[in-house]
């Protein structure tokens, strides 16, 4: 279903997987249409807690979000991007996120 997200208007591909540790899954792709939802999600993340973001079914995003992902990574030192697909790794690295934060 996550891979089919891009063909339907399901909004931002995001779901909470766990509270301990706080784990979310970000999947599909992100376009300008999901920008507000993405920003709301980033704003909701705690700065002082471990947060894991599973990106196993993430396909990519426009370069317009690169700075936002980098800013989140720099301001939230306990965020780790896990189970990254090739597209997710490429996107996160393009954003300037340090490789030690990408698993």
């Amino acid at each position: 279903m996550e891979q089919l997200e891009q063909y339907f208007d399901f909004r931002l591909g995001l779901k909470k997987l766990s509270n301990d540790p706080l784990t979310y899954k970000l999947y599909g792709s992100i376009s300008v249409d999901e920008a507000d939802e993405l920003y709301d999600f980033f704003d909701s993340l705690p700065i002082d807690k471990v947060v894991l973001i599973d990106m196993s079914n993430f396909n990519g995003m426009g370069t317009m979000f690169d700075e936002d992902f980098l800013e989140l990574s720099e301001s939230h030192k306990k965020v780790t991007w896990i189970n990254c697909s090739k597209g997710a790794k490429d996107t996160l690295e393009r954003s300037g996120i340090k490789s030690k934060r990408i698993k």
Side-chain angles (χ1 to χ4, degrees):
M1 189 64 163
E2 292 172 354
Q3 292 293 346
L4 296 174
E5 178 269 339
Q6 64 189 354
Y7 298 106
F8 302 97
D9 186 19
F10 288 140
R11 304 170 36 134
L12 181 65
L14 175 69
K15 58 185 164 184
K16 188 177 199 179
L17 299 179
S18 172
N19 284 320
D20 190 23
L22 188 55
T23 307
Y24 290 91
K25 186 162 195 174
L26 189 59
Y27 59 90
S29 53
I30 304 171
S31 73
V32 68
D33 295 335
E34 293 90 23
D36 289 338
E37 290 175 87
L38 179 68
Y39 300 145
D40 289 345
F41 167 60
F42 283 176
D43 289 344
S44 76
L45 296 175
I47 291 176
D48 58 343
K49 277 183 79 175
V50 170
V51 178
L52 305 176
I53 302 178
D54 182 316
M55 298 187 71
S56 55
N57 281 328
F58 186 77
N59 298 324
M61 64 185 185
T63 57
M64 70 177 278
F65 297 110
D66 287 356
E67 190 173 311
D68 302 310
F69 272 71
L70 180 59
E71 184 178 302
L72 174 75
S73 187
E74 289 178 347
S75 65
H76 292 68
K77 300 293 185 189
K78 295 185 177 187
V79 168
T80 301
W81 313 89
I82 63 169
N83 302 325
C84 293
S85 66
K86 179 172 176 6
K89 281 184 182 180
D90 292 346
T91 298
L92 296 171
E93 289 171 357
R94 181 189 73 211
S95 298
I97 295 172
K98 292 181 172 64
S99 60
K100 68 180 182 177
R101 304 277 296 281
I102 302 170
K103 308 287 182 198

